[in-house]
Amino acid sequence: GLLLGVALALLMPAASAATRSRLTNDVLEVAGILAFAALVAACFVVDEYDPPLYLGGFFAVAALTVIVIAAAITPESPLVGRVLRVAPLRWLGIRSYSLYLWHFPIFMVTRPELDLPFGGFASLVLRLALALAFAEMSYRFIEQPVRDGALGRLWAYMTHDHGPMR
């Protein structure tokens, strides 16, 4: 899956939307819509115990995801790009790495009927809310400061003589 993403990153700029034909852009848009629909359907049909998932299913999900991304980053994308640029999805996408890091430990310490006195939809909502809250805090208080140069400023402060600590 990672290599498919790398391939997309390398090939997409070379085949910029300006140099592609209108037909190619239209085909990419239709492929993106179909791939997105297939991914949404898979969320409801496939579970982690389905053998086909381990016999090429994960590769299929990665390939479908690459198609959706390719369609979404095409400037002329009238639907896929517009849908994926809506504010809630952009918010989620920007925080996706933090969410990826936090969801597992949170889900491990909030097991329905074991760690939580309830299960079902209520436990899912609680667990997702906690994961989203922790992802937001990580993004705001760790990722953003690092991106804004906090580590560089700390390093500069630590490597220069500032006299006695006050």
Side-chain angles (χ1 to χ4, degrees):
L2 290 174
L3 290 178
L4 288 176
V6 169
L8 176 65
L10 291 173
L11 296 175
M12 205 59 182
S16 71
T19 62
R20 289 192 308 256
S21 71
R22 174 82 180 144
L23 176 63
T24 302
N25 286 334
D26 290 346
V27 168
L28 186 57
E29 180 73 8
V30 170
I33 292 167
L34 294 174
F36 185 77
L39 288 170
V40 170
C43 289
F44 294 102
V45 180
V46 178
D47 70 30
E48 72 255 32
Y49 301 111
D50 286 340
L53 197 57
Y54 300 94
L55 300 170
F58 282 119
F59 179 79
V61 167
L64 291 170
T65 302
V66 164
I67 293 168
V68 171
I69 292 169
I73 63 175
T74 299
E76 293 82 20
S77 174
L79 185 60
V80 178
R82 190 176 313 148
V83 167
L84 293 179
R85 281 191 285 275
V86 298
L89 292 179
R90 285 181 55 87
W91 183 92
L92 189 63
I94 290 169
R95 288 150 184 85
S96 62
Y97 184 68
S98 295
L99 185 60
Y100 165 75
L101 291 178
W102 281 109
H103 88 280
F104 185 76
I106 288 170
F107 273 54
M108 289 298 102
V109 298
T110 59
R111 298 168 297 174
E113 310 293 342
L114 293 172
D115 303 313
L116 298 175
F118 52 89
F121 187 70
S123 68
L124 177 64
V125 169
L126 173 65
R127 296 164 91 194
L128 288 174
L130 286 171
L132 290 169
F134 275 80
E136 174 63 22
M137 288 187 293
S138 287
Y139 176 76
R140 186 169 297 184
F141 299 117
I142 297 171
E143 288 181 48
Q144 275 308 110
V146 168
R147 286 185 184 136
D148 291 340
L151 292 179
R153 289 188 301 275
L154 177 63
W155 179 257
Y157 179 80
M158 292 173 55
T159 57
H160 290 88
D161 183 20
H162 295 286
M165 294 287 285
R166 296 176 198 191

Coordinates of all heavy atoms in Angstrom, one line a residue, residues 90-152:
R90 N -11.6 17.5 5.8 CA -10.2 18.1 5.8 C -9.7 18.1 7.3 O -8.5 17.8 7.5 CB -10.3 19.5 5.3 CG -10.4 19.6 3.8 CD -10.5 21.1 3.3 NE -9.3 21.8 3.8 CZ -8.2 21.9 3.1 NH1 -8.0 21.2 2.0 NH2 -7.2 22.6 3.6
W91 N -10.6 18.4 8.2 CA -10.2 18.4 9.6 C -9.7 17.0 10.0 O -8.6 16.8 10.6 CB -11.4 18.8 10.5 CG -11.1 18.8 12.0 CD1 -10.6 19.9 12.7 CD2 -11.1 17.8 12.9 NE1 -10.4 19.6 14.0 CE2 -10.7 18.3 14.2 CE3 -11.4 16.4 12.8 CZ2 -10.6 17.5 15.3 CZ3 -11.4 15.6 14.0 CH2 -11.0 16.2 15.2
L92 N -10.4 16.0 9.6 CA -10.1 14.6 9.9 C -8.8 14.2 9.2 O -7.9 13.6 9.8 CB -11.2 13.7 9.5 CG -11.1 12.2 9.9 CD1 -11.1 12.1 11.5 CD2 -12.2 11.4 9.4
G93 N -8.6 14.6 8.0 CA -7.4 14.3 7.2 C -6.2 14.9 7.8 O -5.1 14.3 7.9
I94 N -6.3 16.1 8.2 CA -5.1 16.8 8.8 C -4.7 16.1 10.1 O -3.5 16.1 10.5 CB -5.5 18.3 9.1 CG1 -5.5 19.0 7.7 CG2 -4.4 19.0 10.0 CD1 -6.1 20.4 7.8
R95 N -5.6 15.6 10.9 CA -5.3 14.9 12.1 C -5.3 13.4 12.0 O -5.2 12.7 13.0 CB -6.4 15.3 13.1 CG -6.3 16.8 13.6 CD -7.6 17.4 14.0 NE -7.5 18.8 14.3 CZ -7.5 19.7 13.4 NH1 -7.6 19.5 12.1 NH2 -7.4 21.0 13.8
S96 N -5.2 12.9 10.8 CA -5.3 11.4 10.6 C -4.1 10.7 11.3 O -4.3 9.6 11.8 CB -5.4 11.1 9.2 OG -4.3 11.5 8.4
Y97 N -2.9 11.3 11.2 CA -1.8 10.6 11.8 C -2.0 10.5 13.3 O -1.7 9.4 13.9 CB -0.5 11.3 11.4 CG 0.7 10.5 12.0 CD1 1.0 9.3 11.5 CD2 1.5 11.0 13.0 CE1 2.1 8.6 12.0 CE2 2.6 10.4 13.5 CZ 2.9 9.1 13.0 OH 3.9 8.4 13.5
S98 N -2.4 11.6 14.0 CA -2.6 11.6 15.4 C -3.7 10.6 15.7 O -3.6 9.8 16.7 CB -3.0 12.9 15.9 OG -2.0 13.8 15.8
L99 N -4.7 10.5 14.9 CA -5.8 9.6 15.2 C -5.3 8.2 15.0 O -5.7 7.3 15.8 CB -7.0 9.9 14.2 CG -8.2 9.1 14.4 CD1 -8.8 9.3 15.8 CD2 -9.3 9.4 13.3
Y100 N -4.5 7.9 14.0 CA -3.9 6.6 13.8 C -3.1 6.2 15.1 O -3.2 5.1 15.5 CB -3.0 6.7 12.6 CG -2.1 5.5 12.5 CD1 -2.6 4.2 12.1 CD2 -0.7 5.7 12.7 CE1 -1.7 3.2 12.0 CE2 0.1 4.6 12.6 CZ -0.3 3.3 12.3 OH 0.5 2.3 12.2
L101 N -2.4 7.1 15.6 CA -1.5 6.8 16.8 C -2.4 6.6 18.1 O -2.1 5.7 18.9 CB -0.5 7.9 17.1 CG 0.6 8.1 16.1 CD1 1.4 9.3 16.5 CD2 1.4 6.8 16.0
W102 N -3.4 7.3 18.2 CA -4.2 7.3 19.5 C -5.3 6.2 19.5 O -5.7 5.7 20.6 CB -4.8 8.6 19.8 CG -3.9 9.6 20.4 CD1 -3.3 10.7 19.8 CD2 -3.3 9.5 21.7 NE1 -2.5 11.3 20.7 CE2 -2.4 10.6 21.8 CE3 -3.4 8.6 22.8 CZ2 -1.7 10.8 23.0 CZ3 -2.7 8.9 23.9 CH2 -1.9 10.0 24.0
H103 N -5.9 5.9 18.3 CA -7.0 5.0 18.4 C -6.7 3.6 19.0 O -7.5 3.1 19.8 CB -7.6 4.8 17.0 CG -7.1 3.7 16.2 ND1 -5.9 3.8 15.5 CD2 -7.5 2.4 16.0 CE1 -5.6 2.6 15.0 NE2 -6.6 1.8 15.2
F104 N -5.6 3.0 18.7 CA -5.3 1.7 19.3 C -5.2 1.6 20.8 O -5.9 0.9 21.4 CB -4.1 1.1 18.6 CG -3.8 -0.3 19.0 CD1 -4.6 -1.3 18.5 CD2 -2.8 -0.6 19.9 CE1 -4.3 -2.6 18.8 CE2 -2.6 -1.9 20.3 CZ -3.4 -2.9 19.8
P105 N -4.4 2.5 21.4 CA -4.3 2.4 22.9 C -5.7 2.7 23.5 O -6.1 2.1 24.5 CB -3.3 3.4 23.3 CG -2.9 4.2 22.1 CD -3.4 3.4 20.9
I106 N -6.4 3.7 23.0 CA -7.7 4.1 23.5 C -8.7 2.9 23.4 O -9.4 2.5 24.3 CB -8.3 5.3 22.9 CG1 -7.5 6.5 23.4 CG2 -9.8 5.5 23.2 CD1 -7.7 7.8 22.7
F107 N -8.7 2.3 22.2 CA -9.6 1.1 22.0 C -9.2 -0.1 22.9 O -10.0 -0.9 23.3 CB -9.7 0.7 20.6 CG -10.7 1.5 19.8 CD1 -10.7 2.9 19.8 CD2 -11.7 0.9 19.0 CE1 -11.6 3.6 19.1 CE2 -12.6 1.6 18.3 CZ -12.6 3.0 18.4
M108 N -7.9 -0.2 23.3 CA -7.4 -1.3 24.1 C -7.8 -1.1 25.6 O -8.0 -2.1 26.3 CB -5.9 -1.5 24.0 CG -5.5 -2.1 22.6 SD -6.2 -3.7 22.3 CE -7.5 -3.4 21.2
V109 N -7.9 0.1 26.0 CA -8.2 0.3 27.4 C -9.7 0.7 27.6 O -10.1 1.0 28.8 CB -7.3 1.4 28.1 CG1 -5.9 1.0 28.0 CG2 -7.5 2.8 27.4
T110 N -10.5 0.7 26.6 CA -11.9 0.9 26.7 C -12.7 -0.2 26.0 O -13.6 0.1 25.2 CB -12.3 2.3 26.1 OG1 -11.9 2.3 24.7 CG2 -11.6 3.5 26.8
R111 N -12.4 -1.4 26.4 CA -13.1 -2.5 25.7 C -14.5 -2.6 26.2 O -14.8 -2.7 27.4 CB -12.3 -3.8 26.0 CG -10.9 -3.8 25.4 CD -10.1 -4.9 25.9 NE -9.9 -4.8 27.3 CZ -9.4 -5.7 28.1 NH1 -8.9 -6.8 27.6 NH2 -9.2 -5.4 29.4
P112 N -15.5 -2.7 25.3 CA -16.9 -2.8 25.7 C -17.1 -4.1 26.5 O -16.6 -5.1 26.3 CB -17.7 -2.9 24.4 CG -16.7 -2.3 23.4 CD -15.4 -2.6 23.9
E113 N -17.9 -3.9 27.6 CA -18.3 -5.0 28.5 C -17.2 -5.5 29.3 O -17.4 -6.4 30.2 CB -19.0 -6.2 27.7 CG -20.1 -5.8 26.8 CD -21.3 -5.3 27.4 OE1 -21.5 -5.5 28.7 OE2 -22.1 -4.6 26.8
L114 N -15.9 -5.0 29.1 CA -14.8 -5.4 30.0 C -14.3 -4.2 30.8 O -14.3 -4.2 32.0 CB -13.7 -6.0 29.1 CG -13.9 -7.3 28.4 CD1 -12.8 -7.7 27.4 CD2 -14.1 -8.4 29.4
D115 N -13.9 -3.2 30.1 CA -13.4 -2.0 30.7 C -14.5 -1.0 30.9 O -14.5 -0.1 31.7 CB -12.3 -1.3 29.9 CG -11.1 -2.3 29.7 OD1 -10.7 -2.9 30.7 OD2 -10.6 -2.4 28.6
L116 N -15.5 -1.1 30.0 CA -16.7 -0.2 30.0 C -17.9 -1.0 30.5 O -18.0 -2.2 30.1 CB -17.0 0.4 28.6 CG -15.9 1.3 28.0 CD1 -16.3 1.7 26.6 CD2 -15.7 2.5 28.8
P117 N -18.7 -0.4 31.3 CA -19.9 -1.2 31.7 C -21.0 -1.4 30.7 O -22.1 -1.9 31.0 CB -20.4 -0.4 32.9 CG -20.0 1.0 32.6 CD -18.7 0.9 31.9
F118 N -20.7 -0.9 29.5 CA -21.7 -1.0 28.4 C -21.0 -1.3 27.1 O -19.8 -1.2 27.0 CB -22.5 0.3 28.3 CG -21.6 1.6 28.2 CD1 -21.2 2.0 27.0 CD2 -21.2 2.2 29.3 CE1 -20.4 3.1 26.9 CE2 -20.4 3.3 29.2 CZ -20.0 3.8 28.0
G119 N -21.8 -1.6 26.1 CA -21.3 -2.0 24.8 C -22.1 -1.3 23.7 O -22.7 -0.3 23.9
G120 N -22.1 -1.9 22.5 CA -22.9 -1.4 21.4 C -22.4 0.0 20.9 O -21.3 0.4 21.0
F121 N -23.4 0.7 20.3 CA -23.2 1.9 19.7 C -22.6 3.0 20.7 O -21.8 3.8 20.3 CB -24.5 2.4 19.0 CG -24.3 3.7 18.2 CD1 -23.6 3.6 17.0 CD2 -24.8 4.9 18.6 CE1 -23.4 4.7 16.2 CE2 -24.6 6.0 17.8 CZ -23.9 5.9 16.6
A122 N -23.1 3.0 21.9 CA -22.7 4.0 22.9 C -21.2 3.8 23.2 O -20.5 4.8 23.3 CB -23.5 3.8 24.2
S123 N -20.7 2.6 23.3 CA -19.2 2.4 23.5 C -18.4 2.9 22.3 O -17.4 3.5 22.5 CB -18.9 1.0 23.9 OG -19.1 0.1 22.8
L124 N -18.9 2.6 21.1 CA -18.2 3.0 19.9 C -18.1 4.6 19.9 O -17.1 5.1 19.6 CB -18.9 2.5 18.6 CG -18.3 3.0 17.3 CD1 -16.9 2.5 17.1 CD2 -19.2 2.5 16.1
V125 N -19.2 5.2 20.2 CA -19.3 6.7 20.1 C -18.3 7.2 21.2 O -17.5 8.2 20.9 CB -20.7 7.2 20.4 CG1 -20.7 8.7 20.7 CG2 -21.6 6.9 19.2
L126 N -18.3 6.7 22.4 CA -17.3 7.1 23.4 C -15.9 6.9 23.0 O -15.0 7.8 23.1 CB -17.6 6.4 24.7 CG -16.6 6.7 25.8 CD1 -16.6 8.1 26.3 CD2 -16.8 5.7 27.0
R127 N -15.6 5.7 22.5 CA -14.2 5.4 22.1 C -13.8 6.3 20.9 O -12.6 6.8 20.9 CB -14.1 4.0 21.7 CG -14.4 3.0 22.8 CD -14.7 1.6 22.4 NE -13.5 0.9 22.4 CZ -13.4 -0.3 21.8 NH1 -14.4 -0.8 21.2 NH2 -12.3 -1.0 21.8
L128 N -14.6 6.6 19.9 CA -14.3 7.5 18.8 C -14.1 8.9 19.3 O -13.2 9.6 18.9 CB -15.3 7.4 17.7 CG -15.3 6.1 16.9 CD1 -16.5 6.1 15.9 CD2 -14.0 5.9 16.1
A129 N -15.0 9.4 20.2 CA -14.8 10.7 20.8 C -13.5 10.9 21.5 O -12.8 11.9 21.4 CB -16.0 11.0 21.7
L130 N -13.1 9.9 22.3 CA -11.9 10.0 23.0 C -10.7 10.0 22.0 O -9.8 10.8 22.2 CB -11.7 8.8 24.0 CG -12.5 8.8 25.2 CD1 -12.5 7.4 25.9 CD2 -12.1 9.9 26.1
A131 N -10.7 9.1 21.0 CA -9.7 9.1 20.0 C -9.6 10.4 19.3 O -8.5 11.0 19.1 CB -9.9 7.9 19.0
L132 N -10.7 11.0 18.9 CA -10.7 12.3 18.2 C -10.2 13.4 19.1 O -9.5 14.3 18.7 CB -12.1 12.6 17.7 CG -12.6 11.8 16.5 CD1 -14.1 12.0 16.3 CD2 -11.7 12.0 15.3
A133 N -10.6 13.4 20.4 CA -10.1 14.4 21.3 C -8.6 14.3 21.6 O -7.9 15.4 21.5 CB -10.9 14.3 22.7
F134 N -8.1 13.1 21.7 CA -6.7 13.0 21.9 C -5.9 13.3 20.6 O -4.8 13.9 20.7 CB -6.3 11.5 22.3 CG -6.4 11.3 23.8 CD1 -7.6 11.1 24.4 CD2 -5.3 11.4 24.6 CE1 -7.8 10.9 25.8 CE2 -5.4 11.2 26.0 CZ -6.6 10.9 26.6
A135 N -6.5 13.0 19.5 CA -5.8 13.4 18.2 C -5.8 14.9 18.1 O -4.8 15.5 17.6 CB -6.6 12.8 17.0
E136 N -6.9 15.6 18.4 CA -6.9 17.0 18.4 C -5.8 17.6 19.3 O -5.1 18.6 18.9 CB -8.3 17.6 18.7 CG -8.4 19.1 18.8 CD -8.0 19.8 17.5 OE1 -8.1 19.2 16.4 OE2 -7.7 21.0 17.6
M137 N -5.7 17.1 20.5 CA -4.7 17.6 21.5 C -3.3 17.4 20.9 O -2.5 18.3 21.0 CB -4.9 17.0 22.9 CG -6.2 17.5 23.6 SD -6.3 17.0 25.3 CE -6.6 15.2 25.1
S138 N -3.1 16.2 20.4 CA -1.7 15.9 19.9 C -1.4 16.9 18.7 O -0.3 17.4 18.6 CB -1.7 14.5 19.3 OG -1.6 13.6 20.4
Y139 N -2.4 17.1 17.9 CA -2.2 17.9 16.7 C -1.9 19.4 17.2 O -0.9 20.0 16.7 CB -3.4 17.9 15.8 CG -3.3 18.9 14.6 CD1 -2.5 18.6 13.5 CD2 -4.0 20.1 14.7 CE1 -2.4 19.5 12.5 CE2 -3.9 21.0 13.6 CZ -3.1 20.7 12.5 OH -3.0 21.5 11.5
R140 N -2.7 19.8 18.1 CA -2.6 21.2 18.5 C -1.4 21.5 19.3 O -0.7 22.5 19.2 CB -3.9 21.6 19.3 CG -3.9 23.1 19.6 CD -5.2 23.5 20.2 NE -6.2 23.3 19.1 CZ -7.5 23.6 19.2 NH1 -7.9 24.1 20.3 NH2 -8.3 23.4 18.2
F141 N -1.0 20.6 20.3 CA 0.0 20.9 21.2 C 1.4 20.2 20.9 O 2.4 20.5 21.6 CB -0.4 20.5 22.6 CG -1.6 21.3 23.1 CD1 -2.9 20.6 23.3 CD2 -1.6 22.7 23.2 CE1 -4.0 21.4 23.7 CE2 -2.7 23.4 23.6 CZ -3.9 22.7 23.8
I142 N 1.4 19.3 20.0 CA 2.7 18.6 19.6 C 3.0 18.9 18.1 O 4.0 19.5 17.8 CB 2.6 17.1 19.9 CG1 2.4 16.9 21.4 CG2 3.9 16.5 19.4 CD1 2.2 15.5 21.8
E143 N 2.1 18.4 17.2 CA 2.4 18.5 15.8 C 2.6 20.0 15.3 O 3.5 20.3 14.6 CB 1.3 17.8 15.0 CG 1.3 16.3 15.1 CD 0.2 15.7 14.2 OE1 0.1 16.1 13.1 OE2 -0.5 14.8 14.7
Q144 N 1.6 20.8 15.6 CA 1.7 22.2 15.2 C 2.9 23.0 15.7 O 3.6 23.6 14.9 CB 0.4 23.0 15.5 CG -0.7 22.8 14.5 CD -0.2 23.1 13.0 OE1 -0.1 22.2 12.2 NE2 0.0 24.3 12.7
P145 N 3.2 22.9 17.0 CA 4.4 23.5 17.5 C 5.7 23.0 16.8 O 6.6 23.8 16.5 CB 4.4 23.2 19.0 CG 3.0 23.0 19.3 CD 2.4 22.4 18.1
V146 N 5.7 21.7 16.6 CA 6.9 21.2 15.9 C 7.0 21.7 14.5 O 8.1 22.1 14.0 CB 6.9 19.6 15.9 CG1 8.0 19.1 15.0 CG2 7.1 19.1 17.3
R147 N 5.9 21.8 13.8 CA 5.9 22.3 12.4 C 6.2 23.8 12.4 O 6.8 24.3 11.4 CB 4.5 22.1 11.8 CG 4.2 20.7 11.4 CD 2.9 20.6 10.7 NE 2.6 19.2 10.4 CZ 1.5 18.6 10.6 NH1 0.4 19.3 11.0 NH2 1.3 17.3 10.3
D148 N 5.9 24.5 13.5 CA 6.2 25.9 13.5 C 7.6 26.2 14.0 O 7.9 27.4 14.3 CB 5.1 26.6 14.4 CG 3.7 26.6 13.8 OD1 3.6 26.5 12.5 OD2 2.8 26.8 14.5
G149 N 8.4 25.2 14.2 CA 9.8 25.4 14.6 C 10.1 25.3 16.0 O 11.2 25.7 16.4
A150 N 9.3 24.8 16.9 CA 9.5 24.7 18.3 C 10.8 23.9 18.6 O 11.6 24.3 19.5 CB 8.3 24.1 19.0
L151 N 11.0 22.8 17.9 CA 12.3 22.0 18.2 C 13.5 22.8 17.8 O 14.5 22.8 18.5 CB 12.2 20.7 17.5 CG 11.2 19.7 17.9 CD1 11.2 18.4 17.1 CD2 11.3 19.4 19.4
G152 N 13.5 23.5 16.7 CA 14.6 24.4 16.3 C 14.9 25.5 17.3 O 16.0 25.7 17.6

